[in-house]
Amino acid sequence: MLKKRTKVLDLTFETTITEERICKEISRIAAEMNRDLADKNPIFLGILNGAFMFASDLFKQITFPCQITFLKLASYEGTQTSGTVKQLIGINQDLKDRTVVILEDIVDTGITLDTIIRQLSGYQPKEIMVATMLHKPDALQKEVKLDYVGFEIPNEFVLGYGLDYNGYARNLPEIYTLVKD
Ligand code: IMP
């Protein structure tokens, strides 16, 4: 594969997953969901910002009745505790007894996903499933169950296809990896 290079702020990145391969994996995941979830009336929860592109491309290929909403993890300085607390915001649906499918851009250490699952459990859903576009198995620090994974990738910084570097490059249609000089 001829690798494309792009400079984002001070760093150089090169393509490691093409748009074509991304489309193929999303179609595979959608087909698996269409087979597994058709009678579950699930609600998809896209995690902002990074998962917006994955959620959009995947959702177009879902063929059964379902809902989607988007959530964000907001950091705030706790008044009772020291340090930063991450709170899930944007839930305005009743999740009780629902099949919830989290849509993530990437699971790296798994800490974010673990936080999300813990907070969602408080809404008493019937089950919580997870679909992630990317997964870095070597970086994982929390035990999390991933039901649908697009690509397992090495423990290197990536961007594009929704993922950013300091807010930039989310618009790139392929996945790029940091070039180490
Ligand atoms: P975790 O909590 O370490 O699993 O990280 C999850 C979040 O960190 C993702 O939702 C991304 O927003 C961000 N992240 C982790 N790895 C990368 C990367 O390689 N590139 C860009 N963002 C990343």
Side-chain angles (χ1 to χ4, degrees), residues 47 49-50 104-113 136 139-140 153 156-159 163-165 170:
I47 308 301
N49 294 325
E104 260 289 23
D105 52 354
I106 185 165
V107 176
D108 185 352
T109 62
I111 292 169
T112 304
L113 184 59
K136 295 181 188 172
L140 209 59
I153 61 169
E156 291 169 337
F157 189 78
V158 293
L159 54 68
L163 289 149
D164 73 306
Y165 170 48
R170 292 192 196 275

Side-chain angles (χ1 to χ4, degrees), residues 97-138:
D97 299 326
R98 296 289 303 270
T99 293
V100 163
V101 185
I102 297 170
L103 302 179
E104 260 289 23
D105 52 354
I106 185 165
V107 176
D108 185 352
T109 62
I111 292 169
T112 304
L113 184 59
D114 186 65
T115 303
I116 292 168
I117 290 173
R118 279 173 197 278
Q119 294 194 24
L120 283 178
S121 300
Y123 293 84
Q124 298 176 287
K126 184 174 165 202
E127 59 185 333
I128 299 175
M129 304 180 85
V130 180
T132 184
M133 183 66 207
L134 301 173
H135 174 35
K136 295 181 188 172
D138 295 341

Side-chain angles (χ1 to χ4, degrees), residues 69-81:
T69 190
F70 290 87
L71 306 180
K72 204 173 169 93
L73 266 186
S75 306
Y76 67 94
E77 298 299 321
T79 50
Q80 305 290 316
T81 56

Side-chain angles (χ1 to χ4, degrees), residues 14-31:
E14 65 184 12
T15 43
T16 41
I17 307 178
T18 61
E19 201 176 352
E20 193 187 353
R21 285 181 65 207
I22 293 171
C23 290
K24 203 173 145 211
E25 288 313 302
I26 289 181
S27 296
R28 173 185 59 80
I29 293 174

